[in-house]
Amino acid sequence: ATTTTGIAIYLASTSNTDVTGNNATATGNGIAIYLASSSNNNVAGNNATSPTGAAFFIISSLNNNFTNNNATATACGGVAIHLRDGSYSNRLFSNTFTASGGSGAIRLGDNGNQGSMSNNSGTFSNDTITCTNCAYSLFVNQSSNVTLVNVTFNRTNYTIGQWAYPENPNFINLSWYAKFNVTTQDFNPVANALINITNLTGATPMISALATGSDGTTGWQPITEWIGNATTGTNYTPHTTTVYSNGSNSTTFNITQSQVYTMQVNLVTA
């Protein structure tokens, strides 16, 4: 589907629909794929491109899944994906967002203090943000928030706006997937060990009694490295990880990427 200044693919008040395998191209300020007042849709495997418009424009839409899409903006004023006007609880997985020529990559909300555009959120997991000569990799404003899990972005090229409702601030949460591997000093797996994980900001464990399986490993856990808001950013790593299994040991990890973190414990014998 191709459009000059209009909309290539448009879902309005649509639910439980698959939008898959399309090549949607807009020229000028057109929109490649547009969801309006639509929920619980599956948008997957699409290639969407717009120079000065939006590759994906999501308005008043919630609980949608976006998987394995390529969204590209190529000129000033364009954006790879834009969520606004109450587009919340959207889930995005293994997409590629590409911005160049002064465009933006990911945008939630807009400029100014219009309450009608507020309350937007998305969880981005295993996505790729490519930002070459772009205006921003991330833009968040008007009571909007983004959670990034296993996503790398340019932390010198993002904007978190000032306008938000007091009960719903703007923020970016950067997290990673971590799996913990517990072994003896002889590198044998320790089953049924319990792990507490405490971040840099406090003594209360953020995760308690996380158990290892028969192979000595836990499941994958999203662990927060950093949260940024309109005025500051807070680091939550290094994390102190304490393992208990007929003996105990504490290890400090800088969790700044998704990987397996190995701990050793001295077992107490009678």
Side-chain angles (χ1 to χ4, degrees):
T2 302
T3 183
T4 302
T5 58
I7 303 167
I9 296 174
Y10 184 36
L11 272 70
S13 302
T14 302
S15 299
N16 303 305
T17 296
D18 291 335
V19 181
T20 59
N22 298 287
N23 292 311
T25 301
T27 59
N29 63 352
I31 297 171
I33 298 178
Y34 189 162
L35 273 67
S37 301
S38 296
S39 61
N40 300 302
N41 297 291
N42 177 42
V43 183
N46 301 285
N47 297 309
T49 301
S50 178
T52 61
F56 281 95
F57 190 53
I58 317 301
I59 184 168
S60 302
S61 297
L62 59 148
N63 293 322
N64 296 288
N65 294 314
F66 298 83
T67 308
N68 293 323
N69 299 287
N70 294 307
T72 303
T74 59
C76 185
V79 60
I81 185 168
H82 188 178
L83 292 84
R84 50 170 277 189
D85 293 32
S87 292
Y88 57 88
S89 297
N90 291 288
R91 297 168 295 275
L92 304 99
F93 185 82
S94 292
N95 303 282
T96 298
F97 303 101
T98 302
S100 61
S103 64
I106 297 172
R107 186 179 188 93
L108 281 80
D110 220 324
N111 296 314
N113 59 359
Q114 302 94 328
S116 62
M117 299 181 185
S118 63
N119 298 321
N120 309 286
S121 66
T123 299
F124 294 73
S125 303
N126 298 338
D127 295 290
T128 299
I129 303 173
T130 302
C131 198
T132 305
N133 189 29
C134 69
Y136 53 84
S137 56
L138 282 168
F139 176 98
V140 178
N141 194 31
Q142 296 172 330
S143 285
S144 300
N145 65 81
V146 172
T147 297
L148 305 175
V149 187
N150 195 37
V151 177
T152 299
F153 77 103
N154 185 349
R155 279 197 246 178
T156 65
N157 189 16
Y158 70 90
T159 297
I160 302 177
Q162 296 281 346
W163 193 90
Y165 293 114
E167 69 276 11
N168 190 10
N170 303 311
F171 67 86
I172 298 171
N173 178 319
L174 177 62
S175 297
W176 305 96
Y177 291 117
K179 175 186 281 192
F180 297 92
N181 177 38
V182 181
T183 73
T184 66
Q185 297 294 323
D186 297 327
F187 301 102
N188 294 312
V190 178
N192 301 314
L194 298 178
I195 297 172
N196 289 349
I197 303 169
T198 304
N199 65 40
L200 184 62
T201 65
T204 302
M206 55 180 286
I207 295 178
S208 298
L210 179 65
T212 61
S214 60
D215 63 352
T217 67
T218 68
W220 291 99
Q221 305 293 318
I223 304 293
T224 297
E225 175 197 348
W226 174 87
I227 294 178
N229 58 35
T231 58
T232 189
T234 300
N235 288 314
Y236 286 81
T237 203
H239 292 74
T240 299
T241 306
T242 304
V243 59
Y244 302 91
S245 178
N246 193 24
S248 65
N249 184 38
S250 292
T251 306
T252 299
F253 295 111
N254 281 302
I255 299 180
T256 58
Q257 60 182 347
S258 296
Q259 68 176 57
V260 177
Y261 295 86
T262 297
M263 308 173 63
Q264 291 183 321
V265 61
N266 289 313
L267 297 181
V268 177
T269 58

